[in-house]
Amino acid sequence: MHSIPWLTLVLVVPLGTALLLQLLPRTAAGAIKATTVAGTLAVAGIVAGLLIAFNQSAASSTPGRGLTLQFQERHSWIPGIGASYHLGLDGLSGWLLALDAAVFLIGAVVVSRRATERPKFYCTLLLLTEAATAGVLLSADLLLFYLFWEAMLVPLYFILGSYGDANRGRATIKFIIYTAAGSLLMLVAIIYITFQAQQATASAANPSGTLSFDLQTLINSPAVSAAQDRVSVLGFATLTPAQWAFLAFAAAFAIKVPLVPFHTWLPDSYTSAPPQVLTFFAGIVSKLGAYGFIRYGLTLFPGPVHHFQWLLMSLAVVSIVYSALLALSQADIKRIVAYASISHLGFIVLGIFALNENGINGAIIQMINHGIIIVALFLVVGYIEERTGTRDRHELSGLEARMPWLYALFLVITLAGLGMPGMNSFVGEFTILVGAFQANPVFTVLAGLGTVLACWYMLRLHQGLMHDPIQGRLERIGDLRVGEGLTLAPLVALMVLIGVFPRPIGDVARGNVHQYATIATSEPGASPATASAPGP
Amino acid sequence: MLLATQNLQFPPTRDLIGLLPELILSGAFVILLMLDLVTPPSRRSLLAAVSLVALAAAMGAVVWGWFDADHARTIYAGSFAYDRFGRFVDGIVIASAALTVAISPDYLNRRGLHFGEYYALILAATVGMMLLAGAASLIVIFLGIELLSISLYILSGFAHTETRSQEAALKYLLLGGFASGILLYGMALIYGATGHTQLTLIKQSLAGSSGTDPLFLVGVGLLFVGFAFKVSAAPFHWWTPDVYQGAPTSVTTFMSVATKVAAFASLIRVFTYTFADSTDKWTGIVAFVAIISMVVGNVAALTQTSLKRMLAYSGIAQAGYILIGVAVSPDPLGTVGSLYYLAAYAATNLGAFAVITVLAGRGEDLDSYDGIRGLAYRRPYTAAAMAFFLFSLGGFPPTAGFFAKFLVFSAAIHAHAVYLALWGIGTSVISIFYYLRVGLLMYTRPKEGEETYPWARTSLAGGGVLAASAAGTLVLGILVFLIYTAAVSAQHGVLPVPQQLA
């Protein structure tokens, strides 16, 4: 049907560009940066094409516990253990892929406009990270997914370890160890559930069963939740194997998002990383944790998801409120943004674990919004730090006078960040809160506190930096350059555009969101007629 | 009983064919010793070339043996297994030997150690390892172990002017001799309990018994201790850091990889397949040693400041991961996992040590962490290769190390020994810390005016070896089916009498 493997191209183009860079001399910084921008632009073009060609009604035609993927490619990879090279796109991964392509394009553009130490090294790593993150979003096979999920850490390690402030070594190792610990737990759970599913397929003709890492096969396998022999650790926490497996997956995703109390790597690495790294590091990596919750958590563990709904929702609420309070108590503006980021990510998880269509829909919209806002905020922080040499909130004031353009753009970003109606965050957070209210009103009210706190720290940040008389030593700083303004402008435009016209996101995602909600609220093995919610 | 059933005469051709790779290398050993007498000191690289040709020929014979329809039988009156399992391991050992030989001339010249015997001894050790991999009789196992050990004792002390190298050789000799004694004692007890030295016959005689004969059990225990020493599993690992650090780096490169691979092959053949009927008696102790190795190796590696010692402790930890595959016996997935791990470990660890070897300058060996500080700023590709190997050792995809760990953890979970997998991931997280710390050092910009270690220029051969190891690490991490299929096939044919892979 599709003669050109477009999804593979999304992986191959950045990898190929990275290889191409190796042929260029190390000193040809201009050519290296231009090639990188061209590579990321090509990816963005392909992804835009994919979204336009995306069939919005394909998902509604699949009954039961099916998950409709489009543009699928499937090739045998390790036949002996049933792992395949299986790629596919749905409404959820489609939008995140768009965000992925966008943040790497911005990352490439930003780096092309400033002097960078060892540009070839940097650009190679940027492209490798893009390939790995795109692979996470495209895989429809658990082993392939894990491969990309973990491989992503390799280029990130070099970027975070080589670029950043003096604290970067510590921060990088902390980040890698945190995420790898969660991921390895998930690996054990992946192996466990595939073996469980294999046993369930055993028959007289095939006594050992068929091993498969395919997501759809595992979604339909009743084996995982069937095992009821409870396992306890050190005498307490007696849970079924499926519940343990879900907790292992949840650990990997909760660390990546991150949820409080697994968040302590984030402020350190966000503070140490330079803004051009943060465009894609903050822009996409944390969203992959939320993506994992929907794509793998909800689908593979419908029973445990409900069992632990209270746990994840309360962690989300704690993240929202606690990080907002921490954001209020910081002096370093980068740390304020970092904690604000955790707080907003809490909303996404809250929406996901509302386990209904509104919640998931809002989570998807909010993932896109969060990516856009956080990238813009870190760019603004970077521009300010570059000009003033400080990130201390108390040493900065009155920038409005010297930087009117930044003032205007930052105002829109601030309003978007605090969830003002008419801005993109409002759409996402409102939808999430509607979904969450259907699931649990108490948590919703508590989470609402987070929006109030967000107004407080965002407005205080904006006012503190921009208003009041300017401090003497800041008199000489200049406004945004044209290039910098043009980098921020599309992000700001998107904030307004999504705020007033969010429909395209919902249109593309709707069919698959319905499927995710259906899968999450039905047990495998039940007949499709009773399992799927009666819909129009 | 030993040789009574066969009349002693010149071995038939069918037997000789089974030993073809070993015969080629033994012939090359003799030729090298004689060539050394007529080769002027400045032309000793020629000897390396001759060794490489011999190793290539042996590799050819191994590959031919893999596809030989007449394989899967024991030869020499049941004392040597001509099977794919042996060929698989032979392939790894020969490749490691060839890569070691390729980086040796430059390194030995810089260190002033370039003597012809070096290559002959490497080949002798290789023959010993191949004999060990194929050994189907306790006698041949001992023969193989001694052949490889004696060659390595000499090679460890090859830096004859350095106290540390001499100390390493002596320590290795004394402790190695002690371990050989324990191994032999275990063999004697097993012979006493079963009346046989051939693995096939031992397996047959065990089939009827309940396997609770104390004589037999003590023998199994002692045998395991002997093997655990050779694969440097904790708590029998004390020699490893000192010997790895003291021996010339090129020797460590070879020793750390090939010895472990061969000894593990024999360990698997004897324990998983010969003592298959009494797995419940010994898997517990293997699992215990596996856990101890993973914990001790990874925790001790944290505090090291010497590259070679860090890699030595990392090797101890890796032995623990490989032992998981033995501890889940008789699950055949364990053997497949261990075999894959051995191949992955060979490519990766050889690469890591090869980096230290090719960078070593004229004076001291490159060993301290300070020595690689800022490497990435002067030798970006070598540093990238080293980082790649470290990631593989840490088990990150898309490298060999990830799939190796994945397969042994899978085997553990498949055999309902989830606790082994959990120990494995717990210690893996620890290991990431010290691997990445070394990685970060290479990417730390040296301060203005700070002196860096005088790294040697990477020669063509050195670069080729690094590229080959990196390619192997990458292929094992992406094109998994190639080696996985081979490992499954090797497991299917293992003598004596394989378990069928589910």
Side-chain angles (χ1 to χ4, degrees):
Chain A
M1 198 162 71
H2 299 282
S3 51
I4 301 175
W6 289 108
L7 299 190
T8 300
L9 271 182
V10 173
L11 303 179
V12 167
V13 169
L15 285 179
T17 316
L19 275 181
L20 196 66
L21 288 185
Q22 306 312 307
L23 303 177
L24 297 170
R26 215 177 306 165
T27 47
I32 289 168
K33 289 168 175 175
T35 314
T36 311
V37 173
T40 50
L41 193 63
V43 175
I46 298 174
V47 172
L50 285 170
L51 277 180
I52 292 168
F54 191 87
N55 181 353
Q56 297 179 0
S57 54
S60 52
S61 57
T62 313
R65 294 174 55 78
L67 179 59
T68 308
L69 299 176
Q70 302 190 28
F71 313 104
Q72 292 196 63
E73 294 167 34
R74 191 201 298 261
H75 304 282
S76 174
W77 176 30
I78 317 173
I81 55 173
S84 59
Y85 175 80
H86 184 188
L87 303 182
L89 199 69
D90 68 7
L92 165 67
S93 53
W95 278 115
L96 281 173
L97 194 65
L99 176 66
D100 188 53
V103 295
F104 281 98
L105 179 59
I106 295 170
V109 169
V110 168
V111 84
S112 71
R113 302 198 53 83
R114 57 171 70 203
T116 310
E117 199 181 303
R118 294 196 294 160
K120 185 167 158 185
F121 183 64
Y122 183 87
C123 289
T124 307
L125 293 171
L126 181 138
L127 289 162
L128 291 180
T129 316
E130 173 161 33
T133 47
V136 168
L137 294 169
L138 292 175
S139 342
D141 178 280
L142 257 72
L143 194 57
L144 192 66
F145 160 72
Y146 186 83
L147 185 97
F148 285 120
W149 176 266
E150 200 71 339
M152 170 171 65
L153 297 181
V154 178
L156 280 177
Y157 161 77
F158 286 113
I159 289 198
L160 297 172
S162 309
Y163 299 88
D165 66 13
N167 210 11
R168 63 176 187 258
R170 227 182 89 82
T172 307
I173 289 190
K174 193 170 175 183
F175 164 66
I176 300 282
I177 288 193
Y178 258 73
T179 46
S183 306
L184 283 166
L185 280 174
M186 176 168 75
L187 178 65
V188 172
I190 289 177
I191 298 170
Y192 172 78
I193 61 171
T194 46
F195 278 137
Q196 284 297 110
Q198 179 195 22
Q199 279 175 11
T201 60
S203 60
N206 181 9
S208 56
T210 313
L211 192 59
S212 172
F213 283 88
D214 195 77
L215 177 62
Q216 184 65 65
T217 313
L218 291 170
I219 288 177
N220 287 331
S221 170
V224 182
S225 41
Q228 288 300 326
D229 47 330
R230 287 169 179 271
V231 185
S232 70
V233 169
L234 304 174
F236 61 93
T238 310
L239 300 172
T240 66
Q243 288 167 343
W244 282 117
F246 169 72
L247 287 183
F249 271 72
F253 299 143
I255 290 171
K256 202 76 138 203
V257 167
L259 284 179
V260 176
F262 307 106
H263 67 288
T264 55
W265 62 266
L266 186 141
D268 287 356
S269 40
Y270 278 21
T271 315
S272 104
Q276 70 265 32
V277 172
L278 284 169
T279 50
F280 54 90
F281 182 49
I284 192 69
V285 171
S286 54
K287 260 65 72 189
L288 294 180
Y291 165 78
F293 268 128
I294 303 181
R295 182 74 172 260
Y296 296 93
L298 298 195
T299 56
L300 292 172
F301 306 100
V305 159
H306 281 87
H307 190 261
F308 288 114
Q309 185 182 17
W310 62 272
L311 178 68
L312 270 303
M313 281 185 99
S314 46
L315 283 184
V317 169
V318 170
S319 290
I320 293 170
V321 178
Y322 178 69
S323 320
L325 291 173
L326 284 179
L328 273 172
S329 63
Q330 302 296 320
D332 183 339
I333 53 176
K334 219 170 175 184
R335 284 186 100 85
I336 296 177
V337 176
Y339 282 114
S341 162
I342 302 177
S343 181
H344 284 99
L345 287 162
F347 275 104
I348 296 174
V349 177
L350 185 74
I352 295 171
F353 281 89
L355 302 179
N356 52 39
E357 285 185 42
N358 277 332
I360 297 172
N361 228 334
I364 295 177
I365 299 174
Q366 195 57 10
M367 280 193 241
I368 310 294
N369 294 341
H370 184 271
I372 297 169
I373 294 172
I374 202 76
V375 169
L377 276 174
F378 275 124
L379 286 174
V380 168
V381 169
Y383 295 148
I384 293 175
E385 186 188 4
E386 211 174 51
R387 285 167 173 75
T388 62
T390 179
R391 291 199 311 254
D392 192 331
R393 190 163 64 82
H394 305 298
E395 294 178 15
L396 294 165
S397 64
L399 298 181
E400 170 195 17
R402 302 295 311 153
M403 310 176 76
W405 279 104
L406 181 85
Y407 173 81
L409 292 170
F410 188 27
L411 181 64
V412 183
I413 299 168
T414 304
L415 294 178
L418 58 81
M420 167 114 164
M423 306 298 289
N424 58 349
S425 274
F426 176 75
V427 181
E429 284 179 5
F430 182 75
T431 321
I432 286 173
L433 290 176
V434 168
F437 194 83
Q438 290 167 330
N440 190 326
V442 179
F443 284 135
T444 316
V445 172
L446 290 174
L449 211 64
T451 55
V452 179
L453 292 171
C455 291
W456 188 356
Y457 61 74
M458 288 305 296
L459 288 177
R460 195 180 67 173
L461 180 66
H462 187 264
Q463 287 177 348
L465 297 189
M466 293 297 157
H467 299 169
D468 300 335
I470 192 160
Q471 296 186 6
R473 58 178 198 85
L474 301 178
E475 286 288 355
R476 308 179 69 106
I477 60 170
D479 201 358
L480 291 182
R481 287 184 289 273
V482 177
E484 293 170 336
L486 286 181
T487 317
L488 272 181
L491 293 171
V492 171
L494 271 176
M495 289 174 202
V496 180
L497 189 65
I498 298 178
V500 296
F501 188 59
R503 245 191 86 176
I505 299 183
D507 281 347
V508 169
R510 186 177 300 117
N512 289 107
V513 167
H514 178 69
Q515 290 180 334
Y516 281 119
T518 308
I519 295 170
T521 48
S522 66
E523 285 292 331
S527 70
T530 55
S532 64
Chain B
M1 272 315 273
L2 260 179
L3 295 165
T5 50
Q6 304 271 330
N7 38 355
L8 292 167
Q9 56 184 2
F10 192 76
T13 326
R14 285 184 77 214
D15 285 8
L16 282 175
I17 281 177
L19 270 186
L20 193 57
E22 286 87 346
L23 291 174
I24 292 173
L25 291 184
S26 306
F29 169 75
V30 176
I31 292 172
L32 276 174
L33 279 184
M34 293 195 292
L35 266 184
D36 184 33
L37 299 176
V38 296
T39 313
S42 59
R43 310 289 298 275
R44 283 191 179 128
S45 299
L46 268 180
L47 299 175
V50 173
S51 317
L52 281 177
V53 170
L55 286 164
M59 188 58 125
V62 166
V63 172
W64 181 83
W66 178 272
F67 293 107
D68 180 12
D70 196 27
H71 73 94
R73 61 195 162 87
T74 53
I75 53 177
Y76 286 93
S79 60
F80 190 84
Y82 179 41
D83 59 1
R84 283 195 164 178
F85 182 83
R87 304 293 106 167
F88 185 91
V89 176
D90 286 354
I92 303 175
V93 168
I94 292 177
S96 314
L99 294 178
T100 307
V101 167
I103 52 168
S104 291
D106 291 323
Y107 171 76
L108 294 175
N109 275 329
R110 285 197 301 272
R111 301 292 316 282
L113 304 172
H114 207 183
F115 300 106
E117 295 87 350
Y118 177 88
Y119 302 106
L121 286 168
I122 292 267
L123 291 197
T126 311
V127 173
M129 290 161 186
M130 291 161 73
L131 281 180
L132 184 57
S137 141
L138 297 179
I139 304 292
V140 180
I141 291 175
F142 189 70
L143 207 68
I145 283 194
E146 285 307 286
L147 183 50
L148 81 89
S149 299
I150 291 170
S151 313
L152 289 176
Y153 297 152
I154 306 172
L155 285 170
S156 320
F158 215 68
H160 52 90
T161 54
E162 284 177 25
T163 328
R164 195 185 255 176
S165 175
Q166 298 302 303
E167 188 190 320
L170 192 64
K171 192 171 246 175
Y172 194 22
L173 172 68
L174 289 176
L175 289 174
F178 192 58
S180 294
I182 293 178
L183 191 79
L184 200 55
Y185 195 27
M187 289 177 177
L189 292 180
I190 290 170
Y191 175 62
T194 61
H196 299 289
T197 56
Q198 290 175 21
L199 300 184
T200 323
L201 298 176
I202 293 176
K203 187 182 168 71
Q204 277 170 14
S205 79
L206 288 174
S209 76
S210 58
T212 49
D213 182 357
L215 202 60
F216 170 71
L217 288 181
V218 173
V220 167
L222 293 176
L223 204 60
F224 182 66
V225 171
F227 275 123
F229 178 89
K230 288 297 166 195
V231 303
S232 59
F236 312 104
H237 65 282
W238 299 105
W239 59 277
T240 316
D242 293 338
V243 175
Y244 280 19
Q245 191 182 22
T249 315
S250 63
V251 175
T252 313
T253 307
F254 181 59
M255 179 162 63
S256 70
V257 169
T259 314
K260 195 166 286 191
V261 172
F264 258 114
S266 192
L267 174 68
I268 292 170
R269 195 192 289 278
V270 171
F271 278 78
T272 308
Y273 294 98
T274 307
F275 304 153
D277 293 329
S278 53
T279 44
D280 54 324
K281 304 288 187 306
W282 52 264
T283 44
I285 190 80
V286 176
F288 180 71
V289 170
I291 293 172
I292 296 285
S293 301
M294 292 187 282
V295 172
V296 167
N298 281 323
V299 171
L302 285 176
T303 59
Q304 301 305 316
T305 53
S306 140
L307 288 171
K308 284 198 208 170
R309 289 185 84 85
M310 183 275 279
L311 285 173
Y313 280 110
S314 130
I316 293 165
Q318 307 283 350
Y321 295 116
I322 305 173
L323 273 177
I324 292 180
V326 185
V328 299
S329 304
D331 194 323
L333 212 53
T335 304
V336 174
S338 289
L339 283 176
Y340 200 91
Y341 209 118
L342 289 175
Y345 174 76
T348 305
N349 217 47
L350 196 130
F353 270 114
V355 168
I356 310 180
T357 311
V358 299
L359 287 175
R362 292 194 172 274
E364 283 262 295
D365 263 342
L366 172 60
D367 190 23
S368 80
Y369 279 12
D370 288 332
I372 56 160
R373 187 186 295 274
L375 181 70
Y377 292 83
R378 305 282 164 77
R379 303 272 195 286
Y381 286 101
T382 311
M386 182 66 173
F388 189 62
F389 298 132
L390 290 171
F391 269 110
S392 181
L393 286 170
F396 282 89
T399 62
F402 167 67
F403 273 100
K405 285 209 169 86
F406 169 75
L407 288 172
V408 292
F409 294 166
S410 292
I413 294 166
H414 190 247
H416 303 291
V418 180
Y419 70 99
L420 279 177
L422 291 177
W423 278 103
I425 63 166
T427 50
S428 292
V429 173
I430 300 175
S431 76
I432 293 168
F433 183 78
Y434 61 85
Y435 291 131
L436 295 198
R437 198 157 68 112
V438 172
L440 274 184
L441 273 179
M442 296 191 296
Y443 286 86
T444 307
R445 177 178 278 289
K447 294 187 185 69
E448 282 300 320
E450 183 183 311
E451 289 240 334
T452 53
Y453 179 88
W455 297 301
R457 285 178 57 86
T458 309
S459 65
L460 193 63
V465 168
L466 294 188
S469 303
T473 308
L474 192 63
V475 165
L476 281 159
I478 293 177
L479 304 177
V480 185
F481 53 89
L482 293 176
I483 301 297
Y484 180 79
T485 318
V488 170
S489 176
Q491 191 278 333
H492 267 290
V494 61
L495 295 170
V497 198
Q499 309 284 327
Q500 285 312 306
L501 183 64

